C-alpha cells in the first residue's frame, strides 16, 4: 500500500493521498491525525508536520527565509529524520541524501562547502565528496517519484554505500538522534 503525503511552504495544511482515492484527505491543524496501519500523520503546532511509522519519524517545519525584505515569497522547509530502529543493520541499507548517514561505519564524511561569503553569495558546493555520485543522481522525476540512481523502494536487500570511495574528509560520527536539513523553496 502506498500513501503519499504533500506538505509545502505555500499551501495551507497537508494533503494525504491514499492509493485508489480520487481526492486527498486534508489535515489543516493539530487537532486532526491521519492513521493507517502503522502510519501516523499529524501537525505539531501550526507549522510542523510529523510523519511516523514503526521504523522512522520525520518532521517538516515551515520557517521564514532570512532577510525577508530580500527574499520576498520565500520560505524554508526544515526537515528532520530519525530512525526508530537499528537502520545501520537493515538488510535494505537506507540511501538517499539522509539515508547515507545510516551506513553502519560510524564515520561522518564532510563534503564540499562554499567558502566565498560576500554581499552576494552563489552556492556552488553540492556535497561533493560526502555523497555517492553527484547531486543530480538524487533528482526525482516528480514530487511522488520513488526512482533514482540509488533507490531502495520495493527492494528486498541492498548494501550500504562504500565509504572508501568517498573523497570528503572522514571523521568519527557524532551521536545525534536525528538528521536535519533546511531546504529553500
Amino acid at each position: 500500500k502506498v500513501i503519499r503525503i504533500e506538505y509545502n511552504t505555500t499551501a495551507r495544511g497537508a494533503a494525504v493521498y491514499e492509493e485508489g482515492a480520487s481526492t486527498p484527505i486534508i489535515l489543516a491543524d493539530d487537532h486532526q491525525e491521519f492513521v493507517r496501519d502503522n502510519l501516523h500523520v499529524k501537525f505539531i503546532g501550526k507549522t510542523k508536520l510529523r510523519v511516523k511509522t514503526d521504523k522512522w519519524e520525520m518532521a517538516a517545519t515551515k520557517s521564514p527565509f532570512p532577510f525577508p525584505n530580500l527574499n520576498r515569497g520565500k520560505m524554508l522547509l526544515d526537515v528532520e529524520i530519525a530512525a526508530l530502529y537499528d537502520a545501520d543493520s537493515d538488510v535494505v541499507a537506507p540511501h538517499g541524501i539522509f539515508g547515507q548517514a545510516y551506513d553502519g561505519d560510524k564515520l561522518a564524511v564532510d563534503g564540499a562547502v562554499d567558502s566565498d561569503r560576500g554581499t552576494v553569495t552563489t552556492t556552488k558546493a553540492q556535497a561533493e565528496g560526502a555523497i555517492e555520485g553527484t547531486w543530480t543522481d538524487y533528482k526525482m522525476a516528480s514530487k511522488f517519484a520513488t526512482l533514482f540512481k540509488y533507490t531502495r523502494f520495493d527492494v528486498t536487500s541492498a548494501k550500504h554505500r562504500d565509504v572508501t570511495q568517498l573523497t570528503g574528509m572522514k571523521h568519527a560520527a557524532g551521536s545525534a538522534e536525528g538528521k536535519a536539513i533546511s531546504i529553500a523553496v
Side-chain angles (χ1 to χ4, degrees), residues 3 15 24 27 36 40-41 47 66 74 89-90 102 110 135 141 146 152 181-182:
I3 297 177
L27 300 178
R36 290 294 179 276
H40 298 259
V41 183
T47 60
K74 292 186 179 180
S89 300
D90 199 321
Y102 298 97
D110 296 335
W135 69 272
T146 57
R152 299 299 198 248
I181 189 170
S182 289

Side-chain angles (χ1 to χ4, degrees), residues 93-95 99-111 128-133 138 150 152 159-173:
H95 209 291
Q100 290 183 74
Y102 298 97
D103 60 8
D105 62 15
K106 308 279 191 259
L107 288 176
V109 183
D110 296 335
E128 298 91 344
I131 61 172
E132 282 192 305
Y138 298 85
Y150 304 103
R152 299 299 198 248
K159 293 181 180 180
H160 290 292
R161 69 179 179 171
D162 183 358
V163 75
T164 65
Q165 299 299 308
L166 303 178
T167 60
M169 187 176 84
K170 298 169 184 79
H171 54 92

Side-chain angles (χ1 to χ4, degrees), residues 2 11 17 20 29 55 97-98 112 117 128-129 132 146 153 168 171 178 181:
V2 176
Y17 299 85
D29 59 42
K55 292 185 173 186
I97 298 301
F98 285 106
R117 295 284 182 223
E128 298 91 344
E132 282 192 305
T146 57
F153 192 79
H171 54 92
I181 189 170

Side-chain angles (χ1 to χ4, degrees), residues 73-161:
K74 292 186 179 180
M75 296 286 289
L76 290 173
L77 194 58
D78 297 319
V79 179
E80 305 167 61
I81 297 180
L84 303 177
Y85 75 115
D86 183 8
D88 289 336
S89 300
D90 199 321
V91 294
V92 178
H95 209 291
I97 298 301
F98 285 106
Q100 290 183 74
Y102 298 97
D103 60 8
D105 62 15
K106 308 279 191 259
L107 288 176
V109 183
D110 296 335
V113 295
D114 292 317
S115 59
D116 182 24
R117 295 284 182 223
T119 54
V120 176
T121 301
T122 302
T123 300
K124 295 181 180 105
Q126 298 292 331
E128 298 91 344
I131 61 172
E132 282 192 305
T134 67
W135 69 272
T136 57
D137 294 331
Y138 298 85
K139 285 186 77 170
M140 306 291 212
S142 65
K143 64 183 175 183
F144 292 130
T146 57
L147 297 177
F148 67 102
K149 185 174 182 177
Y150 304 103
T151 192
R152 299 299 198 248
F153 192 79
D154 259 355
V155 300
T156 56
S157 68
K159 293 181 180 180
H160 290 292
R161 69 179 179 171

